[in-house]
Amino acid sequence: MPASPSTARAINDRLALRLLQDEGPLTAGQLKELTGLSRPTVADLVERLAASGLIEVVGETGAQRRGPNARVYGIVAGRAQLAALDVRTEGVTVVVSDLLGRVLAEASAPIGDDAGTGPAVEQAVTLVERAVKEAGADRLHTVGIGAPGLIDPASGELRVSSGLPAWHRRLVAALQERLPEARVSVENETNLAALAEQHAGAARDRDTFVLLWLGHGTGAAVVLDGALRRGASGGTGEIGFLPVPGTGALPSARDCEGGFHSLAGSAAIVELAGECGVPAAARGEVWAAAAGEPDAAALVRWAVAAVGERSGGPEAEAPQAADLAGSQVAVRFLDVLADRVAIGVASVVAVLDPGCVVLGGEVGQAGGEALAARVAERLRRMAPLPTEVRPGTLGGGAVLHGALLTARQSAQGELFGATPEARRGRSRAR
């Protein structure tokens, strides 16, 4: 059956908004060409969307031809303000953006281990409120949060997890209470990093891949046929609990020590540096120069620079690398680290056959092609399935990028998904 006039209008509106979102500002003529709609239909939808406050004239084009210039239409960036949070065990980072993702304000604050649950939650919420005020936003439409731990697939809430601060779980409810008009959602940090790497990083050309997170802890995110897979209990990718050789113990249901985390987590990498002969004094110099970068990532970045290869970020200071006992120490450090990482990668490949594994997080970015190539070489000997190994390009910033991306998609889906009449009704209700 043919669509009703109102349904057809809604479909056309969403199509035009999606094009403006993906392509940027367009003229009515360009919308006509891209949609295949008639000129009168495009004129009607432009008028409807402008009246609903979703698009506006952002410029003119046609200065090189005769006749009046064509108006260029774009999405109204100020139609909604969004916030994204990266919640770590040691602190919080927040960004506030407009509907197009342009950052309006950014702030971060450490939260110490000795802070009580209540004070820690208040400190994090106050940081968000301060960023919102700095951005000049009246209210937030959507808040996206990235946090370590399991997300209950039924409730969408952060589950109680051992080893994580209690204030993490309380933060979501506190933000919803203090920002009652905002939609607040939480997602596992590694899943958000994978979405970010797929949107703007190392996996832009992949519909199926696994992101192996290498940072303070370890984790994996699985994207199959374009869809993020979370599992029956939200635990897909909890690779830190994977029993592996070389740890001398087994993980438990409440503690990943003895699992893959004990081979490739940040503390294990720092310990490995000492075992490979990196002098303690030199390690201190590397950390001091890291400008807040996690210790493990700083050491990996130093090693890549010491062997004369490229890392996936700011280069380590050459004098620091040269002060060590030559590049042999760095080569050994990277080789043993690659041995460890390859164990986790091979396990993932044997089960999922993703065709591509991205080494994400701060350590994956710091290792760059040097670490990725070493892991790929070992993987070819361990697994019969052809698999690319790529370094992540977004590093630790991928979590915040992914949280903002999901907040933006959620807000645009709500604002763009209804008819203009319904949108105007909700606007008046607010």
Side-chain angles (χ1 to χ4, degrees):
M1 295 179 62
S4 66
S6 61
T7 300
R9 285 195 295 271
I11 293 172
N12 292 339
D13 288 354
R14 286 196 292 271
L15 176 58
L17 287 165
R18 178 62 62 184
L19 286 168
L20 289 169
Q21 176 187 350
D22 294 341
E23 304 292 335
L26 298 168
T27 65
Q30 290 170 325
L31 282 171
K32 175 182 177 298
E33 293 177 5
L34 292 170
T35 61
L37 300 172
S38 68
R39 190 177 301 277
T41 299
V42 170
D44 287 344
L45 73 84
V46 165
E47 183 178 354
R48 281 196 306 273
L49 294 175
S52 68
L54 287 178
I55 69 171
E56 62 184 351
V57 176
V58 296
E60 293 184 346
T61 188
Q64 305 300 320
R65 62 176 176 81
R66 295 180 179 179
N69 293 343
R71 293 178 174 178
V72 179
Y73 297 92
I75 292 173
V76 179
R79 182 68 174 78
Q81 284 77 41
L82 321 169
L85 280 73
D86 180 1
V87 179
R88 304 290 181 99
T89 55
E90 69 278 5
V92 176
T93 300
V94 57
V95 297
V96 178
S97 83
D98 61 24
L99 188 58
L100 294 179
R102 289 193 290 256
V103 174
L104 306 175
E106 185 170 3
S108 61
I111 297 179
D113 294 337
D114 55 346
T117 300
V121 169
E122 180 62 27
Q123 187 177 351
V125 174
T126 300
L127 183 73
V128 175
E129 292 175 332
R130 187 164 66 246
V132 171
K133 183 177 180 180
E134 181 183 339
D138 294 331
R139 62 173 66 91
L140 292 177
H141 183 283
T142 305
V143 178
I145 303 173
L150 300 179
I151 310 300
D152 190 314
S155 66
E157 295 180 352
L158 189 65
R159 291 170 52 183
V160 176
S161 301
S162 62
L164 295 177
W167 63 267
H168 280 196
R169 194 164 187 269
R170 289 273 301 276
L171 177 60
V172 178
L175 282 170
Q176 191 67 80
E177 181 180 346
R178 296 271 278 271
L179 304 169
E181 295 181 325
R183 295 186 175 190
V184 180
S185 63
V186 62
E187 178 60 271
N188 173 266
E189 60 178 358
T190 307
N191 287 344
L192 290 177
L195 295 177
E197 291 284 2
Q198 187 180 37
H199 178 257
R204 281 175 289 184
D205 61 336
R206 305 292 305 198
D207 288 331
T208 295
F209 71 99
V210 168
L211 179 132
L212 180 63
W213 180 265
L214 300 171
H216 176 72
T218 59
V222 178
V223 177
L224 300 179
D225 299 323
L228 182 68
R229 307 296 180 174
R230 297 177 175 83
S233 62
T236 294
E238 286 295 318
I239 197 170
F241 287 88
L242 180 73
V244 293
T247 63
L250 288 174
S252 70
R254 299 186 61 83
D255 190 352
C256 59
E257 289 299 325
F260 181 66
H261 171 83
S262 296
L263 285 184
S266 181
I269 294 175
V270 171
E271 183 178 352
L272 175 64
E275 294 172 357
C276 289
V278 180
R283 296 201 304 271
E285 291 177 8
V286 171
W287 299 338
E293 185 176 41
D295 294 345
L299 286 165
V300 171
R301 198 179 301 284
W302 163 82
V304 172
V307 298
E309 300 182 51
R310 291 185 58 189
S311 69
E315 299 299 329
E317 291 288 341
Q320 292 172 346
D323 286 343
L324 300 184
S327 64
Q328 290 185 343
V329 169
V331 169
R332 172 170 167 73
F333 175 46
L334 287 175
D335 284 347
V336 178
L337 177 58
D339 290 341
R340 294 183 173 193
V341 173
I343 292 174
V345 173
S347 301
V348 168
V349 168
V351 174
L352 297 174
D353 185 20
C356 178
V357 174
V358 176
L359 304 183
E362 294 91 349
V363 172
Q365 183 190 38
E369 291 290 349
L371 179 60
R374 284 171 166 81
V375 173
E377 178 187 7
R378 287 151 177 79
L379 184 63
R380 284 191 293 270
R381 300 197 298 263
M382 298 169 68
L385 307 175
T387 307
E388 283 189 80
V389 180
R390 302 177 179 180
T393 61
L394 302 178
V399 177
L400 202 59
H401 185 117
L404 185 57
L405 177 65
T406 56
R408 181 181 167 197
Q409 290 173 338
S410 176
Q412 290 179 345
E414 193 273 332
L415 292 171
F416 297 171
T419 64
E421 292 78 8
R423 286 193 294 267
R424 286 196 292 270
R426 281 198 296 270
S427 179
R428 286 193 296 270
R430 289 183 178 179

